[in-house]
Amino acid sequence: MSWTVVADVVAALCFLGGSLLALVAAVGLVRFPDLLSRMHAGTKPQVLGLILMVVGLALHLRRAEILGLLMLVVVFQMITAPVAAHMVGRAGYRTGRIRQDLLVRDELTIDLDAAHLHAQERAASGEDRGGHGSGRPDPARPDPA
Amino acid sequence: MLSAVMLAAAAVLVLRRVEAGPSVLDRVVGMDVLVSTILAAAVLYAAWTGRTDFIPVMVVLSLVGFVGAVTLARFVAAESEDEARILSPQEVAELEEQQTAVIDALDSAVSGVGDRRPLDAETHETGPGADEPRDGGAR
């Protein structure tokens, strides 16, 4: 058994794994109840599935000149997928599309409430001292947008 | 072959979510997964035919696929539960009836006003250019 046969078998396994991840993500996307869990399911083929498919392609074609482009595919996807996921999750939280009853732990809401309280206390004490610090922009205040 | 079947099934399921998704963001997540499914299909096609000219297409897809998600997520706004749902045909008919009633009322009011006096008589107080003389034919 030569090494090309081994490479082809490994490539086929990689293709099967990547496609299986895409299928699992689709099933999760249909069945999961809210935005965050759907995002969790959708991330699988975006990074791991794509890496598996690209490794399979590299093992199947076995040509040196395509390796750079395949690396670029993976690197671009690993750069852009977190940006998109961050923006979607942020927009979902800010427009109230996160189901609070499904969250095990919600540290962002706790932090935001604490920051509100802190800002109010600081504003009150600043008025007592003659308005010191009231002109500064408050970093603890959440962005209203 | 089995991989192609699994990818097709995944694409169909993702399309179901994109169609049914209760909010815009669910659809955005679905479209992201659809893009990565298409990427996987392109990889499979390149491996099947041995063509390497699909690989630049994959580079572009992986680079551009997130633009739509970021744009939609940036401009998505809070909407109430009532605005987000799709109206039933009966509600659409009621809404259209209300709108035509309002338009009819406006039409009759405007034509009644136009019959009684010329329009520049009432634009005198309001408009900034109201003191310019108008000819009677202008609305």
Side-chain angles (χ1 to χ4, degrees):
Chain A
M1 195 162 72
S2 66
W3 72 274
T4 57
V5 179
V6 176
D8 274 345
V9 169
V10 174
L13 285 181
C14 284
F15 287 150
L16 279 179
S19 312
L20 191 67
L21 277 177
L23 184 61
V24 165
V27 170
L29 216 60
V30 169
R31 290 189 54 91
F32 277 170
D34 81 326
L35 178 68
L36 288 185
S37 48
R38 282 181 196 137
M39 282 172 63
H40 157 73
T43 323
K44 265 76 207 170
Q46 278 183 343
V47 180
L48 183 57
L50 189 73
I51 289 175
L52 277 179
M53 297 298 277
V54 164
V55 166
L57 185 61
L59 284 175
H60 185 80
L61 293 179
R62 293 192 287 274
R63 286 161 62 175
E65 67 265 25
I66 64 168
L67 282 180
L69 281 176
L70 291 182
M71 285 284 288
L72 268 188
V73 173
V74 173
V75 166
F76 282 153
Q77 188 74 10
M78 285 177 79
I79 291 173
T80 58
V83 177
H86 168 81
M87 290 294 285
V88 170
R90 178 172 171 271
Y93 182 83
R94 292 194 170 185
T95 57
R97 290 197 179 86
I98 307 288
R99 280 178 60 183
Q100 302 282 342
D101 54 325
L102 290 177
L103 295 180
V104 177
R105 173 167 302 208
D106 186 6
E107 288 176 334
L108 181 55
T109 302
I110 296 173
D111 278 357
L112 282 182
D113 289 346
H116 267 298
L117 214 65
H118 186 64
Q120 284 171 3
E121 280 172 3
R122 247 186 28 180
S125 64
E127 281 167 11
D128 289 344
R129 278 180 291 154
H132 272 304
S134 58
R136 268 184 314 194
D138 192 355
R141 190 183 303 151
D143 187 5
Chain B
M1 187 64 202
L2 186 60
S3 296
V5 171
M6 283 200 286
L7 282 181
V12 169
L13 286 176
V14 168
L15 275 182
R16 261 187 58 188
R17 167 54 63 200
V18 171
E19 184 262 334
S23 78
V24 188
L25 293 171
D26 292 302
R27 297 193 170 99
V28 164
V29 174
M31 290 314 286
D32 264 5
V33 177
L34 195 62
V35 166
S36 56
T37 309
I38 290 171
L39 261 172
V43 168
L44 210 59
Y45 183 77
W48 194 293
T49 58
R51 288 170 59 176
T52 55
D53 50 350
F54 256 56
I55 294 172
V57 178
M58 286 153 49
V59 175
V60 172
L61 262 184
S62 66
L63 190 55
V64 166
F66 84 118
V67 173
V70 169
T71 313
L72 275 172
R74 183 69 187 83
F75 291 109
V76 72
E79 57 187 1
S80 68
E81 194 90 357
D82 201 45
E83 285 173 1
R85 79 196 160 85
I86 296 172
L87 297 177
S88 69
Q90 195 183 359
E91 287 167 331
V92 171
E94 282 176 10
L95 212 62
E96 281 179 349
E97 208 167 292
Q98 284 177 9
Q99 282 172 352
T100 49
V102 169
I103 288 172
D104 285 347
L106 278 177
D107 273 348
S108 60
V110 165
S111 63
V113 166
D115 284 345
R116 271 191 282 110
R117 51 181 180 166
L119 203 63
D120 53 339
E122 58 178 351
T123 51
H124 243 301
E125 312 88 309
T126 55
D131 40 12
E132 292 172 8
R134 295 191 184 193
D135 43 350
R139 288 194 297 134

